[in-house]
Amino acid sequence: MDCSHLSVVLDLSPAHWQICAQHPQSPLDLSDFLSQLLAFLNAHIALKHENSLAVFAAFPGKRSIVPTLRPYACSHPVSHSVMLYSSTDPPGDHPPQVDPNSYPPFKLLDSAVLSRIHDELDDSEEPSALVGALTKALCYINRLSLGQNTDPRILILSVSPDLSTSYIPIMNSIFSAQKLKITVDACQIFGPDTVFLQQAAHLTGGAYLYLERREALLQYLIMAFLPSPSIRKVLAVPTQDKIDFRAACFCHKNIVDIGYVCSVCLSIFCQPLPVCSTCRTKFPIKTIMRLRSSLPPSDLASAAPSPPTMPLQTRPSQNGTQNGSKH
């Protein structure tokens, strides 16, 4: 068995974890999640001596004062994602206490992850920086210069719904993972199915799993995500019955069923617009009128003047393909 590298991205949104802990049917609080997660991480290290591990955390965006030219400063949320642990560079600022009843590598991993989470976690209600943590994981794997006998992969553990404003950066991350041949797995622990994580797992050859029984998290992790991609070829890995390929428009950052795509830069818009806001391409007025005439009255009333193009239908299909239609 070849060595394997695993980068884990944790969604540590206190607001969503609090809701998850109060679920009437299958509750799971953050402390129970971390205890089961650490057992899974220790199992990955114990599989093979050459296996490597990195853990990244996506915390809520912190408010910071940004100076401006105006007489007052503005407060904006800043993405907050950190590396909790790396097997190639073990932390030395929190040395674990000597415990004769525990395996030292396991003790080092557990203490490093828990101490960093305790230092960084706060009660902010801002969205978690999931894309920032995913980007750091990609950069870390690229910097490792892993050999051909290594199966690099990323596991995303999420409790937050899709954030439409992160559509473009997460798609760029997916394309980067494809180029680097990195498998992206995703596990939605709480909340609705995430469109973006479904697409990330499908496009990179990974597995997407939605938890219905959260108390069995460790069993799900070991059975579905512990085997490396090379071993999964001979295993029955959970697959998706259908994949939602809907995209988010560039104008309002909303997930749309039918979008209008710029024929030059491929930007997606929810309404036909005369000028593309991305590449500033102008379109014939006859094309705009023809596209607007095909809109429902409710959409036509809210249409604003800016770029159209060929409409792209992004309705999910049963066989995992995207149906596109041109008008």
Side-chain angles (χ1 to χ4, degrees):
M1 182 179 64
D2 296 331
C3 59
S4 175
H5 171 78
L6 173 63
S7 288
V8 181
V9 176
L10 307 179
D11 180 6
L12 297 179
S13 173
H16 292 96
W17 274 112
Q18 183 178 4
I19 300 175
C20 182
Q22 299 173 354
H23 194 274
Q25 297 179 355
S26 181
L28 178 66
D29 57 21
L30 184 58
S31 60
D32 292 339
F33 163 74
L34 292 177
S35 63
Q36 298 186 55
L37 171 68
L38 293 176
F40 167 73
L41 299 179
N42 292 335
H44 171 75
I45 295 178
L47 276 179
K48 194 176 181 64
H49 179 72
E50 292 80 7
N51 283 359
S52 56
L53 173 69
V55 183
F56 299 85
F59 294 100
K62 293 185 176 181
R63 287 280 173 177
S64 63
I65 303 300
V66 179
T68 62
L69 297 178
R70 299 178 181 180
Y72 56 87
C74 297
S75 177
H76 297 282
V78 179
S79 298
H80 185 43
S81 57
V82 298
M83 174 185 286
L84 303 178
Y85 174 83
S86 171
S87 60
T88 59
D89 187 17
D93 51 348
H94 295 281
Q97 297 180 357
V98 178
D99 187 359
N101 298 320
S102 63
Y103 184 51
F106 294 170
K107 185 67 176 180
L108 178 62
L109 168 62
D110 297 352
S111 61
V113 171
L114 294 178
S115 61
R116 288 300 303 274
I117 292 178
H118 181 269
D119 295 340
E120 300 289 344
L121 191 63
D122 56 21
D123 296 331
S124 175
E125 296 183 358
E126 298 293 336
S128 58
L130 189 62
V131 179
L134 175 59
T135 304
K136 287 185 177 181
L138 290 170
C139 294
Y140 175 81
I141 295 177
N142 182 63
R143 182 171 59 86
L144 286 180
S145 299
L146 300 174
Q148 297 181 355
N149 296 328
T150 304
D151 287 329
R153 55 196 173 103
I154 298 175
L155 172 60
I156 303 175
L157 302 176
S158 173
V159 293
S160 302
D162 281 325
L163 188 62
S164 57
T165 55
S166 64
Y167 172 73
I168 298 177
I170 201 170
M171 290 305 298
N172 291 335
S173 300
I174 294 174
F175 298 148
S176 300
Q178 284 182 316
K179 186 175 182 180
L180 295 174
K181 298 181 180 180
I182 299 174
T183 303
V184 178
D185 298 324
C187 180
Q188 186 67 17
I189 300 175
F190 177 76
D193 279 310
T194 57
V195 176
F196 301 156
L197 294 186
Q198 282 185 0
Q199 297 180 17
H202 174 75
L203 296 176
T204 59
Y208 173 84
L209 186 63
Y210 179 83
L211 291 190
E212 296 181 356
R213 299 184 58 184
R214 298 173 187 86
E215 66 276 6
L217 172 64
L218 180 58
Q219 181 177 353
Y220 283 109
L221 293 177
I222 293 179
M223 297 298 296
F225 302 115
L226 185 59
S228 61
S230 59
I231 301 178
R232 295 180 188 179
K233 299 177 182 179
V234 296
L235 298 176
V237 182
T239 57
Q240 306 175 63
D241 296 333
K242 60 180 181 179
I243 303 170
D244 195 341
F245 280 103
R246 289 182 299 170
C249 65
F250 286 32
C251 47
H252 300 94
K253 310 300 182 183
N254 296 326
I255 298 178
V256 296
D257 293 328
I258 298 178
Y260 296 83
V261 182
C262 175
S263 57
V264 178
C265 66
L266 302 181
S267 298
I268 303 173
F269 302 93
C270 58
Q271 300 289 348
L273 305 175
V275 179
C276 177
S277 60
T278 303
C279 64
R280 312 308 300 175
T281 299
K282 297 182 180 179
F283 301 95
I285 189 63
K286 293 183 178 180
T287 304
I288 300 171
M289 299 303 296
R290 176 171 57 85
L291 294 176
R292 289 187 177 180
S293 63
S294 63
L295 289 174
S298 58
D299 294 341
L300 184 61
S302 60
S306 260
T309 56
M310 297 179 297
L312 172 67
Q313 187 168 349
T314 59
R315 299 182 186 276
S317 60
Q318 295 295 332
N319 57 0
T321 58
Q322 178 171 323
N323 299 329
S325 60
K326 300 180 180 179
H327 300 280

